[in-house]
Amino acid sequence: MLLLLPPSETKVLGGSSLTIQQVHLSYGQLNDARDLVLDALIKLSSDPDEAVRVLKLGKKQLEDVARNLEIPNAPTMPAYLRYSGTLYKAIKAADLTSHEVEMMRKHVLMQSSLFGLISATDRIPYYRLSADTRVPGVDLKQIWQEHQPAAWVRLVDGPIIDLRSKTYVELAPIPDDMDSYLVEVVTDKDGVRRAMNHFNKTSKGELVGAFVRSTEAPKTIKDLKKLAESIGLGFEVEGKQITLITDEVLR
């Protein structure tokens, strides 16, 4: 079983002296696409005013333009530690043991707008690029929908549990013929259900955290259901969709 996560807009700075040019990202079939996107992002970031507009940066994010220019020689760290948004905070990745990091390596993937499909343990630099950014000279959806199938076919350890946000699902949809399930999080109060926002990410992160801390990785949807229920999440399956049910007041 594989868990597929989105990245997060918020990221941790720093890392080791190894640069992206010195590490090997998973799914090398995507390297040409990665180079195309990175070249376009660096070109955009060489014009600070235009980059601020295109990347939709606020006053507290202006330094990210310069950081994009530094990507080729910037320090790297494992992606599961680089990303620091709500979902990743819920995983509590900094506390993982060596066994749990190995579970991350084997079972957790991420979809980046800059690097495409990567392993959770791949080392990446800090960058600023959202899935819905209109980068001059490239079409992110076109690039990843054209190139990522070469990586999808490498995923033989299914089913794939797709925990990505809608934007990243649209960036690179999983082929219909693959064994995959899209996850939605809802709350159920007095028989009325509604989709979640903040707690959507929290519940997904808690599920990933429980998964990688398992002695043995769940292999079937039934196993995953048992795991979800063990941490207080309701779990329903209909077709290719999994619904996690939470209560944001009690949890």
Side-chain angles (χ1 to χ4, degrees), residues 77-222:
M77 68 172 65
Y80 73 91
L81 295 175
R82 175 70 70 192
Y83 298 127
S84 58
T86 300
L87 188 155
Y88 290 89
K89 287 178 181 177
I91 295 174
K92 299 179 180 178
D95 300 329
L96 297 181
T97 66
S98 57
H99 164 74
E100 292 159 0
V101 171
E102 181 63 9
M103 291 280 278
M104 273 278 190
R105 185 188 71 80
K106 289 183 176 180
H107 299 283
V108 182
L109 303 171
M110 296 168 186
Q111 172 73 48
S112 163
S113 52
L114 178 54
F115 301 113
L117 193 68
I118 58 174
S119 166
T121 55
D122 282 353
R123 304 185 70 89
I124 60 171
Y126 185 101
Y127 68 92
R128 186 75 184 195
L129 180 65
S130 302
D132 58 356
T133 302
R134 296 180 179 274
V135 182
V138 296
D139 182 323
L140 294 179
K141 284 187 179 181
Q142 181 179 358
I143 284 180
W144 293 122
Q145 290 176 17
E146 176 184 347
H147 289 267
Q148 194 148 300
W152 290 134
V153 298
R154 298 284 304 278
L155 306 185
V156 296
D157 229 1
I160 302 169
I161 309 303
D162 192 350
L163 296 141
R164 295 177 298 172
S165 58
K166 180 181 178 181
T167 306
Y168 281 91
V169 170
E170 293 174 348
L171 183 67
I174 299 174
D176 291 338
D177 60 354
M178 295 188 72
D179 185 12
S180 67
Y181 296 81
L182 182 63
V183 177
E184 179 185 25
V185 181
V186 302
T187 185
D188 189 335
K189 289 188 176 182
D190 301 323
V192 178
R193 290 188 175 183
R194 61 186 179 90
M196 303 303 296
N197 40 46
H198 175 83
F199 286 92
N200 162 49
K201 297 176 181 178
T202 297
S203 296
K204 288 177 178 179
E206 289 174 349
L207 182 62
V208 175
F211 187 105
V212 299
R213 289 179 173 85
S214 300
T215 303
E216 185 176 349
K219 296 180 180 178
T220 66
I221 297 300
K222 184 178 180 180

Side-chain angles (χ1 to χ4, degrees), residues 64-79:
D64 284 353
V65 176
R67 290 176 181 136
N68 277 348
L69 292 173
E70 296 167 357
I71 288 173
N73 299 304
T76 60
M77 68 172 65

Side-chain angles (χ1 to χ4, degrees), residues 10-61:
T10 54
K11 302 175 185 70
V12 174
L13 292 170
S16 77
S17 58
L18 287 174
T19 70
I20 195 66
Q21 301 178 77
Q22 296 170 313
V23 301
H24 297 283
L25 297 181
S26 301
Y27 312 107
Q29 301 88 348
L30 303 180
N31 285 344
D32 288 345
R34 291 163 176 160
D35 288 344
L36 286 172
V37 178
L38 178 55
D39 289 348
L41 180 60
I42 289 176
K43 183 177 181 180
L44 168 65
S45 299
S46 66
D47 182 342
D49 291 337
E50 179 69 358
V52 166
R53 185 186 68 80
V54 172
L55 298 173
K56 301 177 183 177
L57 300 180
K59 292 181 179 180
K60 295 182 179 180
Q61 302 167 319

Side-chain angles (χ1 to χ4, degrees), residues 238-251:
E238 183 175 349
K240 299 187 72 171
Q241 178 169 306
I242 290 171
T243 301
L244 299 178
I245 307 161
T246 184
D247 186 325
E248 82 277 19
V249 174
L250 298 178
R251 300 179 64 254

